[in-house]
Amino acid sequence: MSELFDAVDALVASRATLPPPAERKRLRAAHGLTIDEVAGALKVRRATVSGWESGKTEPRPPERDAYARLLDQLAELYPAPSAPEEPDAPAVPAAFTAAPAPAEAQALSTGAAAEAADMTAAENTQTSPAPVAAAPEAATRPAHTTRPSSTSRRPGAKRAAPAGAQAGGTDPRFENGPLAVVDVDDDGQVLAYCTGGLVLDVPAKSIPALVDWTLREAKLGQPKLSGPGKDADPLLVLTESALERYGLPVTLTDEERLAGRIPEGHKVIKQLVRAEWKLTKRGFGPWARIYRPATGSERACVQLCIPSWNALDTRHWGEAGQLPPAELARVLGVYASRVMTPRGSTAVTGLELLTALHPPTRASEPDATGKRHSEHNPGSLGKDPVDCAPCEAPDGHPLLKELPRFHVRGPGEKLFEEAYDWARPMTDAECTLRHLVGIDVNMAFAAGANGLTVGLGAPTHVKAPVFDAKLPGSWLVDLSQVDLSRVKVGKDKWADLDASLLPSPFTPKGDRPEGPAWYATPTVAYAVELGYDVAPIEAYVRYENGRYLDGWYNRLRDAYLATMADLGVDADLAPADFLAAMDGYRGRDPELAIVVSAVKATVKGGLGKLRERPRGEGWRPGEPWRALSRPTWRPDIRAAVISRTRINLHRKIVKHAAFTGQYPIAVLSDCVVYAANGESPLDFLPYKEGKPLPGGFKLGINPGLVKHEGTQSVLWGEEVRERFNAPELNLARYIKDGTVTDVDNGE
């Protein structure tokens, strides 16, 4: 009889009611349990518990009964909240049930195009992002899903998606979204996890068949971002189990990693060749592109992303590569809907976004025969690269091949516009204060690109020109006469400052220039703004110019603000509420926090790609390298953005010093450190009736505004400098958490 009772108990346990996957994850986290701890208690693999929480799989007896008992006990301890947050509590993101809507996400904001070029005014006016789709929730599936048999499964059959979720946007060609994460479940079934919780059955048995299925059945992709542009190719992310299924290595060997690809003789590449598919010049690597030559306007191309081959750099994507398939699809899907479908690293994607928003060519008006032809797209960089000016060329460029070997160019030969790395010893008065407080400019380089006029064509060399602040270019001019002890801070308003406590705005190290040097237009314009006359000796100017970066800035700004809003940090918060909302925002939704990091990396990486240096390839100084063949290899645009970013920061520092008498201790790129008696930025930033100092630092999430970077004690700063015998050690580098590494004291 006891055996019958045990059988009945087992039968009941096999149907034990479980909460939805998201609630399972919430309950575990509420009790401080890790996935490994739950897996150990239930004697299952970590991946099994992760699958239960993502909705990928459902527990089976006997583990199902034990798992249900665990969740029931946790539910008693941590009941689901039914009351809304208190009105004065920092906002936190709501549950996400809708998939990204590419049609909305791709609507470029036009408000920034009408903003004044003066960044001070723009940054002190809080703006709201253009409408962007809500971040989709990780895929969930009902507790009981009928799995089609291998004989009845049809290609692309849709699996269960959560109620109310949508897989893609309004374009029927891409109704399943921009990308899919391909994985193999415990039963050996190949599944494609799309955005919005949709899961597709994948019938393909090989990589060529997978590519063919993607183009014919999967309905993946993304509409173009601009009229003359091209639709984004579908992206497939292959997990480790998918790599094993399709005959690819889970990890690359050291030799393959250095080469950035698997060998040409690999069996999968042979399969592709037999199926008449081609690979780009970079081969089958972490971001492989598989295509057939286009016929007319029809493209046949699929991109692969392989996280276990280090496709998702942990510096920018955190632990995204370790996420379960549904959660990884969510992270990449949010990024794709708000920025664009990844085309490679965040740097590559940042550069590709420029081209996607400003394609080099467009279709002409019909000619006499009614045919259209390809013509230059106004406002773009064109399809052919242009040479930079000699002063803008980095060392080793072909324009400099006639220089003597080992020649070191000085400021009068080389344009050197870089971000700040400056620090000074603390004064006696500052040593009596208690804290060092760091503030950081949000999306500083994006803000520097906003409204900036840059050159679109080749430079023109001019002797003894009259400086024109509206003309982008590089200027050889002597700014050593600019005295920061007396500067113009407004119309007919001058301020007396202690120049010894300020960095020079004209050099990255903050040193005062000693003679003629090359500067980008924003730097020279700032000297005029401070009240000084300039007389350039020569210049390379670009008469063909425009606000090429505006659309790029708008897109990335909106992506950043929308994702931060999802994390509970809105653009209209009061200063104190903003600081409270920023405290621990990453923990509210770690997956969306990954998207924030990736968006910021897209800004910096994309600008860095404008002056990409040789990457091996057997290059020798004086020879061209691959990046020079791109129209987007434009060191002058990079220099102009960095120049404007540095000048924007210096302008705020000067306004703050003139009003408060406070000077920075250290500046590193977009981080500034001040000595203060309190631990918060509100202890030294001047606010009157809730309004910040005009032209100074302002707390907020918008690009160009500032957030709290970190606080350490003055004693910490002095002890660190004394320990490393470096009185001018840049404390801004370590202010965030106080950990000091890689100190270079100049010896």
Side-chain angles (χ1 to χ4, degrees), residues 321-333:
Q322 306 300 319
L323 291 174
E327 296 176 23
L328 179 56
R330 181 195 180 211
V331 169
L332 295 177

Side-chain angles (χ1 to χ4, degrees), residues 587-673:
R588 295 176 197 142
D589 191 327
E591 293 168 17
L592 287 185
I594 292 174
V595 177
V596 171
S597 297
V599 170
K600 293 193 289 187
T602 303
V603 173
K604 290 186 177 181
L607 292 173
K609 278 282 186 180
L610 292 171
R611 199 192 65 163
E612 184 177 358
R613 303 301 306 276
R615 304 175 64 183
E617 307 167 4
W619 174 81
R620 294 182 179 180
E623 297 179 350
W625 58 92
R626 185 182 302 174
L628 299 187
S629 63
R630 295 195 317 249
T632 49
W633 192 85
R634 293 295 301 270
D636 57 300
I637 296 179
R638 173 187 178 273
V641 173
I642 294 177
S643 164
R644 194 160 186 245
T645 302
R646 193 182 67 245
I647 294 307
N648 285 342
L649 185 58
H650 194 274
R651 184 183 292 113
K652 296 176 188 299
I653 291 172
V654 166
K655 292 288 180 65
H656 185 84
F659 185 80
T660 67
Q662 298 169 338
Y663 296 84
I665 302 297
V667 184
L668 181 68
S669 187
D670 49 9
C671 176
V672 188
V673 177

Side-chain angles (χ1 to χ4, degrees), residues 405-479:
R405 191 179 182 187
F406 305 122
H407 174 75
V408 178
R409 294 186 293 163
E413 301 172 278
K414 179 180 179 180
L415 177 69
F416 192 64
E417 294 283 12
E418 299 293 342
Y420 267 130
D421 186 355
W422 170 88
R424 62 169 176 82
M426 282 185 272
T427 65
D428 292 342
E430 289 165 342
C431 288
T432 64
L433 302 177
R434 299 177 60 189
H435 301 285
L436 298 176
V437 184
I439 53 177
D440 180 81
V441 181
N442 296 312
M443 299 270 285
F445 294 100
N450 182 26
L452 178 65
T453 300
V454 299
L456 300 178
T460 300
H461 188 216
V462 183
K463 289 284 189 178
V466 176
F467 176 70
D468 184 352
K470 297 181 180 179
L471 191 59
S474 301
W475 310 78
L476 180 62
V477 59
D478 188 354
L479 299 180

